[in-house]
Amino acid sequence: MANAQQMANAIRALAMDAVQQANSGHPGAPMGMADMAVALWGRHLKHNPTNPQWMDRDRFVLSNGHASMLLYALLHLTGYDLPLQELKNFRQLHSKTAGHPEHGITPGVETTTGPLGQGLTNAVGFALAEKLLAAEFNREGHAIVDHHTYVFLGDGCLMEGISHEAVGLAGAWKLNKLIALYDDNGISIDGQVAPWFIDNTPQRFAACGWNVIDAVDGHDVEAVAAAIGQAKASVDKPTLIVCKTAIGQGSPNRAGTAKAHGEPLGAEEINLTRAALGWSHEPFAIPESVYADWDAKAAGQAAETEWTLRFAAYEAAYPELAFELSRRMAGDLPRHFAQVAVDTVVAAHTKAETVASRKASQIALEAFTAQLPELLGGSADLTGSNLTNTKSTPALRMQASGAVARTEDGQVGRHINYGVREFGMAAIMNGIALHGGFIPYGGTFLTFSDYSRNAIRMAALMKQRVIHVFTHDSIGLGEDGPTHQSIEHAASLRLIPGLDVWRPADTAETAVAWSVALSNRNKPTALLLSRQNLPYAPKKDLGDISRGAYILSEPKDIGLKKRAQAVIIATGSEVQLALAAQKLLAVRKIAVRVVSMPSTTAFDREDVKYKQLVLPAGLPRIAVEMGVTDFWWKYGCAAVVGIDTYGESAPAGVLFKHFGFTAENVADTVRAVIGAARRKTAR
C-alpha cells in the first residue's frame, strides 16, 4: 500500500480540525491510535463500505468512544456514506457525527459507545454470537459465518469493573476471533494514570485465558499489522495486543499529556502539529492520493461478492439452513410465531395454574424456546431461581480445543451461565443482539438491576431486542431482607425511555408479556416476576392484556349490580389483593372496578379513547403495588397502597401484614377515598 504515514496523518488532521471547529471533543486519542487504525483498517479489516450490513463483515468496536473522530475519519476515508460535511458538523445538532458513536445514526457504527468498558463487553457479545452461529450453521466446505471482532480500548475501559466481567467470560468461552487492541498511553483526564492504575494488564488478561502480545509499538504500522496477523492465528483464545502509544501523537506541546485528551488543541498548536507532521493541507482538505490509499469500496465489494457466491453454493446444498440463517440475521420471527404465541397464552388461560410468575415465565419459555431457535438464554448464577432454562436450551459449554461443545444429539448450547456478572451479562446481551442471529435473554434478581442498569439503558438507546428476566420482584421474597427486596426498582426501570416493563399477575399475563417482548424488535423488555405463588385471575377476554392494562373485573362479575364507584389499579402479585378487596367491599355494597396493569409503559402508548375506557374520568383511582408510591400519582390516583421504606427480613406473609399489603387495608383505603370524595361533593 502507499504511504501509511500519510494515511495516519489524515486521521490526525481530521480529528484535530473537527474538534477545533466544534470547540469540543477529544483529539488526543484519535491522534494516538491513528497508526493502529491504519494497521487494522488498511491491512486486515473485512468490510464493505457500500453495504455496512453485510452479514459476514468483521465487526469493529471503538470501546473508548470519546475517540469518536477516529471512527468517523475512518468511515469517511474508506468510503462509507459519511461525507466530509458531516465531519465538519461534528457534535452539532442532527449530524451523523455525535460526540460519541451512535448505532443506527452513523453508517458503519456497530454499537453505541461512550460509557467506558461497555464497548469491550459488547465486543464479547459480538464474538460469542459469531462463534455460536458458525457452530450451528457452518458445514464442511461451507464456512458461511467466518469473521472477526476487533475492539480498540483504553485505560478507562480497563479501569471500569465491567471489563473484568467481560475479559473473564471471553477467556472462558475461548473466543479466538476476538482481538482487542489496547491503546496503552498511560493518560486519562486527571493525568498520568500510574498513581491510581497499577494493574499489570498483560498478566491480568493472560490469567483470564487470553493470548497476549505485549509491548507493540503502536506507532509502527507494520508491527501492529503483524501482531494482528499473529492474533488471527489463535484457535482457542482471544487476543490482547498491547500497543504502546503517545496520546496526541504529532502535537509538539500536547503529545503525551492530559491536555491532549478532552479539549481542542488550539489554532496555534494545530499549525505547529501540521508542520511537525509534514501535513501542509488546509483544514478538512485530504489529498486525492490519500483518499485513494484509504478507499475500501472495491476491495469490500469484491470480498462480499466472493462470499455471496459461496453462500449461493451453501444455499444450494443446504437450503433450509440458508433460509433459517437469513431469517434470523434479518431479525424476523418464524412465520408461525403468532400462532405459537396465541397457543401459549390460551394454554395458560385454560390451565389457570397457581404458580409464581417466575415459574409462569419458564412455562412460556418452554413453548417459545422450542419454536424459536434464536432464543439464547442465561442467568447471572441464579438459574434455579430465575428459571430461565428449558428443555430446549442445553447449557453452553466449550471444549478444551476451543470448539463449541455439543449435546449427544448435536445441539449447540443455548443457555449461558454468566456467573455473578449482572452488568457484564446485560452488555454482552446487547452485543449479541447487535450482531444478529439471536434474541438474548438473561435473568437475575430485580434488585440487582441496579448493577446492569446502564447496559439496559444502552439497549433502549440503541433500540435492541434484549429481554431481562428479573425475579424476586418485591418484599414477597421474604427472609432475605431489604438488601434483596425491590422497592424503587420497578418505578426506576419504567423511567428509562424505550424500555418496556412488564409486571404480570398470572400465567396468561406472563405469556402475553413474553410474546410482546419477542415481537418488540426495536426495544428491550424487562419482565418483573414474583418468587411467591400467584393465583390465576379469571378473565373473560385475553385480547386487551397486550395493551398494558385492561378491565379485569367489574362489580357485576361478582354479583353486585351497581356501577363502579372507584377503580383499583394493581400490578403483579397485588392484583390478587385488588380482587379480594373488591369482594370485601361488595359485602358493604361498595362497587369497584379492578384494572390489571401489567405494563404501564405499554398502556402509556395507548390512545386516549382506550385509556378513558379503562380509567374513566370521574371515578377515584387507587393504585396497589409493592413499590414506591411516587410513580402512581401520574395516573391521577387519590391514594396509593405502596411502600416508601426499605423492607424487613421475615416470612413473606408476615411482611405483607406489616406493610399493609392485605385485602382489608386495600378495602379500607378505597372506602376512605370514596368517603372523602362524597364529603367533597357535599360541600
Side-chain angles (χ1 to χ4, degrees):
M1 60 193 305
N3 193 328
Q5 192 60 54
Q6 287 292 87
M7 294 172 71
N9 287 342
I11 294 173
R12 294 185 174 101
L14 288 172
M16 62 185 182
D17 290 342
V19 171
Q20 184 68 23
Q21 180 150 308
N23 196 29
S24 172
H26 302 76
M31 296 172 72
M33 293 189 291
D35 302 298
M36 296 162 54
V38 173
L40 175 59
W41 284 65
R43 306 288 177 87
H44 289 282
L45 193 70
K46 181 177 69 173
H47 65 122
N48 183 4
T50 61
N51 182 12
Q53 297 305 309
W54 169 33
M55 184 190 302
D56 201 43
R57 68 191 182 279
D58 289 340
R59 270 62 169 181
F60 173 76
V61 176
L62 184 68
S63 188
N64 41 353
H66 57 269
S68 57
M69 268 309 304
L70 174 79
L71 182 51
Y72 298 148
L74 286 166
L75 294 171
H76 169 70
L77 291 167
T78 55
Y80 286 78
D81 184 17
L82 193 67
L84 190 62
Q85 187 58 44
E86 291 291 349
L87 275 62
K88 293 179 179 179
N89 290 336
F90 179 54
R91 289 184 164 230
Q92 304 309 299
L93 184 64
H94 299 149
S95 76
K96 293 182 180 180
T97 50
H100 293 80
E102 294 188 29
H103 173 74
I105 301 297
T106 314
V109 172
E110 301 284 1
T111 180
T112 300
T113 53
L116 294 176
Q118 285 196 60
L120 168 61
T121 315
N122 294 164
V124 173
F126 279 113
L128 178 63
E130 191 276 344
K131 184 166 189 171
L132 295 181
L133 287 172
E136 184 177 355
F137 287 98
N138 287 353
R139 294 294 183 269
E140 186 174 354
H142 297 278
I144 297 305
V145 181
D146 184 15
H147 52 266
H148 287 80
T149 299
Y150 298 96
V151 55
F152 279 13
L153 57 100
D155 293 305
C157 294
L158 296 178
M159 285 187 258
E160 287 286 359
I162 191 173
S163 70
H164 294 265
E165 302 179 28
V167 169
L169 284 169
W173 294 335
K174 303 179 185 296
L175 300 179
N176 61 298
K177 289 187 177 178
L178 173 62
I179 300 174
L181 287 85
Y182 168 30
D183 178 32
D184 185 11
N185 63 37
I187 296 291
S188 67
I189 294 174
D190 285 348
Q192 291 283 345
V193 300
W196 58 83
F197 183 51
I198 62 169
D199 301 23
N200 189 319
T201 296
Q203 288 187 11
R204 172 186 155 196
F205 275 70
C208 290
W210 284 59
N211 173 40
V212 177
I213 304 174
D214 195 9
V216 176
D217 182 352
H219 299 304
D220 184 337
V221 171
E222 297 302 329
V224 177
I228 295 171
Q230 180 182 339
K232 290 167 72 173
S234 174
V235 296
D236 62 347
K237 292 180 181 180
T239 298
L240 175 73
I241 302 173
V242 181
C243 299
K244 300 290 185 179
T245 65
I247 191 171
Q249 174 73 358
S251 172
N253 299 301
R254 296 287 183 91
T257 73
K259 291 287 286 183
H261 174 77
E263 62 184 61
L265 297 183
E268 182 178 349
E269 185 65 17
I270 287 176
N271 288 334
L272 292 174
T273 303
R274 276 186 154 78
L277 295 175
W279 188 266
S280 59
H281 315 289
E282 294 296 314
F284 295 104
I286 305 295
E288 288 302 320
S289 60
V290 176
Y291 272 124
D293 289 342
W294 268 117
D295 191 352
K297 294 192 293 294
Q301 289 171 339
E304 183 175 356
T305 297
E306 187 272 338
W307 177 86
T308 301
L309 292 173
R310 289 192 288 110
F311 188 82
Y314 174 76
E315 189 174 30
Y318 304 99
E320 292 182 1
L321 286 176
F323 175 82
E324 185 70 1
L325 176 59
S326 298
R327 175 189 71 78
R328 285 170 52 175
M329 289 301 293
D332 297 331
L333 294 172
R335 293 170 181 169
H336 64 292
F337 170 76
Q339 189 61 53
V340 172
V342 169
D343 292 346
T344 303
V345 175
V346 170
H349 176 64
T350 303
K351 293 179 181 179
E353 295 176 278
T354 294
V355 295
S357 54
R358 62 172 175 166
K359 181 61 179 179
S361 170
Q362 188 180 45
I363 292 170
L365 273 173
E366 286 287 358
F368 288 125
T369 55
Q371 298 297 322
L372 275 69
E374 59 263 49
L375 276 171
L376 181 62
S379 179
D381 203 48
L382 291 167
T383 301
S385 295
N386 302 146
L387 304 182
T388 50
N389 58 330
T390 71
K391 295 175 183 177
S392 301
T393 56
L396 173 66
R397 295 291 183 266
M398 302 298 171
Q399 298 177 359
S401 65
V404 180
R406 296 179 182 273
T407 62
E408 291 183 358
D409 59 355
Q411 287 189 71
V412 173
R414 290 171 56 199
H415 188 274
I416 301 171
N417 298 105
Y418 285 98
V420 188
R421 300 182 177 99
E422 295 88 357
F423 193 6
M425 175 178 70
I428 286 170
M429 289 198 296
N430 289 349
I432 292 170
L434 286 160
H435 180 279
F438 293 103
I439 300 174
Y441 66 91
T444 186
F445 290 173
L446 178 55
T447 190
F448 300 142
S449 64
D450 287 336
Y451 284 137
S452 49
R453 183 179 179 86
N454 198 263
I456 298 170
R457 180 180 185 271
M458 295 301 290
L461 180 64
M462 294 187 286
K463 302 178 180 179
Q464 293 302 299
R465 180 165 44 188
V466 176
I467 302 172
H468 294 270
V469 179
F470 293 124
T471 66
H472 297 60
D473 69 342
S474 71
I475 60 172
L477 65 86
E479 293 86 345
D480 275 347
T483 60
H484 284 52
Q485 292 166 2
S486 301
I487 303 299
E488 76 280 17
H489 298 79
S492 176
L493 288 169
R494 290 168 181 150
L495 291 174
I496 298 177
L499 173 69
D500 248 15
V501 181
W502 286 80
R503 190 168 183 253
D506 58 21
T507 52
E509 287 190 3
T510 306
V512 170
W514 264 107
S515 66
V516 173
L518 292 168
S519 301
N520 280 343
R521 65 186 300 162
N522 294 318
K523 61 166 63 74
T525 302
L527 305 177
L528 317 187
L529 308 170
S530 74
R531 174 182 184 265
Q532 72 273 25
N533 286 344
L534 307 180
Y536 189 79
K539 299 168 181 60
K540 298 184 292 294
D541 185 12
L542 302 173
D544 287 336
I545 298 175
S546 63
R547 305 180 79 167
Y550 63 101
I551 301 168
L552 177 62
S553 180
E554 293 279 37
K556 65 181 181 180
D557 296 326
I558 57 170
L560 190 60
K561 296 180 180 180
K562 293 180 64 177
R563 295 181 63 182
Q565 299 163 264
V567 179
I568 304 177
I569 309 168
T571 78
S573 53
E574 289 73 80
V575 168
Q576 61 185 301
L577 294 181
L579 292 171
Q582 182 193 39
K583 293 178 180 178
L584 289 177
L585 291 163
V587 173
R588 294 174 174 265
K589 305 302 180 183
I590 299 173
V592 298
R593 168 186 289 183
V594 175
V595 168
S596 178
M597 192 178 286
S599 177
T600 63
T601 50
F603 181 65
D604 289 348
R605 292 194 297 271
E606 286 293 326
D607 58 44
V608 173
K609 183 178 180 180
Y610 183 73
K611 290 178 181 177
Q612 291 177 342
L613 174 68
V614 175
L615 302 175
L619 283 185
R621 303 165 188 175
I622 299 90
V624 186
E625 184 175 63
M626 290 188 208
V628 291
T629 60
D630 275 358
F631 172 82
W632 288 100
W633 303 117
K634 76 177 199 173
Y635 293 107
C637 293
V640 181
V641 178
I643 177 171
D644 288 316
T645 66
Y646 293 109
E648 297 280 353
S649 181
V654 174
L655 293 176
F656 295 156
K657 292 179 181 178
H658 177 73
F659 287 108
F661 290 103
T662 64
E664 292 78 10
N665 186 47
V666 174
D668 289 345
T669 303
V670 173
R671 289 172 57 209
V673 166
I674 292 175
R678 286 173 177 168
R679 290 190 294 273
K680 183 177 180 181
T681 302
R683 288 198 297 268

